[in-house]
Amino acid sequence: MAYYFTEPSHTFGEYLLVPGYSSEECVPANVSLQTPLVKFRRGEEPKIKMNIPMTSAIMQAVSNDTMAIALAREGGVSFIYGSQTPEQEAAMISRVKNYKSGFVSSDSNIKPTTTLGEVLALKDETGHSTMAVTEDGTPNGKLVGIVTSRDYRVTRMSFDTPVKDFMTPFERLIYADANLTLPQANDLIWEHKLNMLPLIDENRRLRYMVFRKDYTDNKENELELIDERKRYIVGAGINTRDYAERVPALLEAGADVLCIDSSEGYSEWQKKTLEYIHKEFGEDVKVGAGNVVDGEGFRFLADAGADFVKVGIGGGSICITRETKGIGRGQATAVIDVCRARDEYFKETGVYIPVCSDGGIVHDYHMTLALAMGADFMMLGRYFSRFDESPTDKVKVNGTYYKEYWGEGSNRARNWQRYDLGGDRKLSFEEGVDSYVPYAGSLRDNIHISLSKIRSTMCNCGALTLGELRDKAKITLVSSTSIVEGGSHDVILKDKFGRD
């Protein structure tokens, strides 16, 4: 007969942390959120560590090269989505690895014949007020001028006016050689009181733009995650079908870590994928696997060679796997069970395999709970999809801005490889929805708030590292009544009355 778990599965929202003793050392400034990304042996250091316990989900609506750069600046890792051609994914990886911090590749480019109306439309689309004018309108074309909002007056000019009639021409620009270092470029910006300095090659072709506003940002990125060549670290999603073609292209582009993207990872297909990659490319190529929801699934992937294991089925905000197929498990219970298996595996083998909690995060405090329950880091989709850096469009609905957000199992994404069971190459039914999430602004501003909450809560628990949090945390189940009690209640919020 079927096996029955005796205890119900629980979500993060059903738990609270009970404070522990906080010494005078327990202040947020002393908290380290550093965590291993890939497996390592007892007494050794992991090949890759993150400075914050966050990765962005392998989704079309979340992780592209823009997101990867922004998250690496803050100390985390993005996994570029794999539901695109290997060539397209490799190109995104390459853009991240070739990105020079502070050196921006122009992505709002116009030609001398572009009209003012077209400039305004491009500004609305991208939010960029500074645009490079090149002979052919390409990012690396011959630079002939620059257009900023100071170069035109909408109320006094025809929208048909060509850019060549109002741009700042090349002869009046202050520019520099593309081989300049960032400190040298910043010195020129301050010396000449510039907002932007274009960098060109010997043929006057535009290579980079250095902005004054980025100077402060670069000074503040103390946790940025870089490799030995000072390039941003980036991950890549793969599937269990075309890995023989995809993996070489991703590694050639510079991917630092791979992850099999699947709704359910306790399968022979994942084992074969892991074995192939490690046989063909060696153990130095790191590959995460999943998703699983119990210790048995973890042990299977650990024995198959996974470098980290993702936990979670059906808990994502856009995932309807539980509704359509009836499989899954409450995310908190799944994390607790898998982390227990991870610790047992470490005791037996001396190999520590990090656990990634994927899904089920509704509030920021759920992140701290996931870490306290044993997760080494989290993979977040909805959380990152709300930010400027996600690849989706920002739309206005009834006066409020939203970002589009859809699941890989939706008809929009049609990522059938993620739900591959060895059958036809198609998505027979949906396991994800197409939706909107409230627009939240920049990644940097929001992630700092979330991390501040995690650090503060860790101090309440008397922990200065994630390892200490796992050891010292006291966690309690809460009743439905106490969940209500935990929010504002028995008052009328001022916002309900409105303000003049």
Side-chain angles (χ1 to χ4, degrees):
M1 63 178 292
Y3 176 82
Y4 289 86
F5 289 89
T6 57
E7 294 292 330
S9 62
H10 298 284
T11 65
F12 294 129
E14 297 175 78
Y15 288 94
L16 287 175
L17 285 157
V18 176
Y21 169 71
S22 300
S23 71
E24 63 181 10
E25 296 296 316
C26 286
V27 294
N30 291 337
V31 171
S32 169
L33 296 177
Q34 194 173 81
T35 190
L37 177 61
V38 296
K39 71 181 179 184
F40 59 95
R41 292 190 174 277
R42 183 183 284 111
E44 298 179 351
E45 287 291 312
K47 182 181 178 182
I48 306 174
K49 289 191 290 187
M50 296 188 292
N51 292 323
I52 63 172
M54 290 182 172
T55 62
S56 65
I58 309 169
M59 300 176 67
Q60 295 175 12
V62 179
S63 296
N64 65 346
D65 49 309
T66 306
M67 177 62 69
I69 292 168
L71 185 52
R73 280 175 172 167
E74 305 304 326
V77 173
S78 281
F79 284 86
I80 303 293
Y81 69 91
S83 50
Q84 55 183 324
T85 67
E87 293 77 16
Q88 290 170 328
E89 187 178 7
M92 286 191 179
I93 296 293
S94 181
R95 285 197 289 271
V96 178
K97 299 307 290 186
N98 291 323
Y99 182 86
K100 295 171 67 176
S101 182
F103 293 78
V104 179
S105 296
S106 178
D107 54 6
S108 291
N109 305 284
I110 51 181
K111 295 186 290 188
T113 55
T114 301
T115 65
L116 174 59
E118 291 170 328
V119 167
L120 296 175
L122 184 59
K123 181 181 177 182
D124 286 342
E125 178 185 341
T126 64
H128 301 155
S129 58
T130 299
M131 301 179 189
V133 186
T134 58
E135 279 189 347
D136 56 3
T138 62
N140 300 122
K142 185 176 181 180
L143 184 65
V144 296
I146 295 289
V147 167
T148 73
S149 55
R150 292 179 297 182
D151 291 318
Y152 55 83
R153 295 182 67 178
V154 176
T155 56
R156 298 194 177 185
M157 294 172 61
S158 167
F159 280 17
D160 293 328
T161 306
V163 161
K164 63 183 178 181
D165 290 351
F166 60 86
M167 69 181 184
T168 301
F170 180 81
E171 293 74 22
R172 289 168 49 197
L173 292 176
I174 296 173
Y175 56 89
D177 186 89
N179 294 319
L180 220 62
T181 65
L182 186 58
Q184 290 171 328
N186 282 321
D187 286 344
L188 281 176
I189 286 175
W190 287 95
E191 178 184 345
H192 295 282
K193 299 179 180 179
L194 305 174
N195 287 324
M196 187 277 294
L197 176 71
L199 302 182
I200 60 175
D201 64 17
E202 65 276 10
N203 296 315
R204 217 173 93 182
R205 299 180 72 85
L206 180 64
R207 305 302 301 170
Y208 303 106
M209 302 163 78
V210 180
F211 289 85
R212 173 188 288 262
K213 67 180 179 61
D214 288 337
Y215 176 78
T216 303
D217 290 344
N218 292 329
K219 288 294 185 183
E220 293 177 352
N221 295 332
E222 296 179 353
L223 296 178
E224 67 179 1
L225 200 63
I226 54 177
D227 62 20
E228 67 280 356
R229 294 168 58 187
K230 296 186 177 181
R231 302 176 303 173
Y232 286 131
I233 287 178
V234 60
I238 62 173
N239 61 70
T240 57
R241 282 284 184 129
D242 67 1
Y243 51 84
E245 173 189 1
R246 186 175 298 269
V247 170
L250 299 178
L251 296 178
E252 177 67 23
D256 296 282
V257 57
L258 308 174
C259 183
I260 302 172
D261 182 30
S262 174
S263 66
E264 200 278 298
Y266 192 176
S267 74
E268 187 69 13
W269 292 280
Q270 293 225 356
K271 180 181 178 182
K272 288 180 177 179
T273 304
L274 289 166
E275 290 175 343
Y276 170 84
I277 293 172
H278 287 140
K279 178 181 178 182
E280 293 295 320
F281 304 101
E283 294 297 324
D284 284 342
V285 173
K286 302 302 181 183
V287 191
N291 287 17
V292 298
V293 291
D294 64 4
E296 190 176 310
F298 170 86
R299 174 70 67 153
F300 173 82
L301 291 177
D303 291 340
D307 289 286
F308 66 84
V309 173
K310 286 206 297 159
V311 178
I313 294 176
S317 60
I318 42 71
C319 185
I320 55 173
T321 295
R322 296 181 193 175
E323 292 180 33
T324 56
K325 296 171 67 175
I327 65 168
R329 199 177 191 188
Q331 187 66 8
T333 300
V335 168
I336 293 168
D337 195 359
V338 171
C339 288
R340 185 181 296 116
R342 180 227 23 228
D343 293 342
E344 292 171 354
Y345 190 86
F346 181 51
K347 288 179 182 177
E348 293 174 20
T349 67
V351 176
Y352 187 91
I353 301 177
V355 166
C356 169
S357 177
D358 179 16
I361 302 293
V362 180
H363 304 291
D364 283 354
Y365 82 89
H366 290 171
M367 299 184 198
T368 317
L369 276 166
L371 297 169
M373 290 172 177
D376 296 277
F377 59 94
M378 297 150 293
M379 181 168 279
L380 305 164
R382 181 195 60 85
Y383 179 85
F384 287 114
S385 71
R386 305 171 299 147
F387 303 148
D388 289 319
E389 294 82 359
S390 74
T392 63
D393 291 330
K394 183 172 70 172
V395 297
K396 195 172 187 179
V397 181
N398 296 327
T400 302
Y401 282 104
Y402 295 86
K403 291 274 282 184
E404 294 182 300
Y405 180 46
W406 60 91
E408 290 296 293
S410 67
N411 275 329
R412 181 170 184 174
R414 299 206 65 80
N415 182 5
W416 62 269
Q417 294 97 329
R418 188 175 196 276
Y419 304 88
D420 182 29
L421 292 175
D424 294 337
R425 296 170 177 263
K426 65 178 183 178
L427 195 67
S428 300
F429 54 88
E430 288 188 285
E431 293 190 46
V433 299
D434 195 348
S435 64
Y436 296 107
V437 290
Y439 168 66
S442 74
L443 178 147
R444 183 179 182 84
D445 291 342
N446 285 275
I447 203 170
H448 282 200
I449 294 172
S450 299
L451 294 173
S452 293
K453 293 177 183 178
I454 294 174
R455 292 187 180 101
S456 179
T457 306
M458 287 174 62
C459 288
N460 293 142
C461 297
L464 295 177
T465 67
L466 295 180
E468 285 187 3
L469 178 64
R470 288 194 290 269
D471 292 339
K472 295 183 177 182
K474 296 183 290 184
I475 303 172
T476 181
L477 271 169
V478 294
S479 68
S480 57
T481 303
S482 63
I483 292 174
V484 174
E485 179 187 63
S488 59
H489 60 89
D490 300 316
V491 295
I492 300 174
L493 300 180
K494 290 182 178 180
D495 287 346
K496 295 293 182 182
F497 291 108
R499 293 194 175 101
D500 294 332

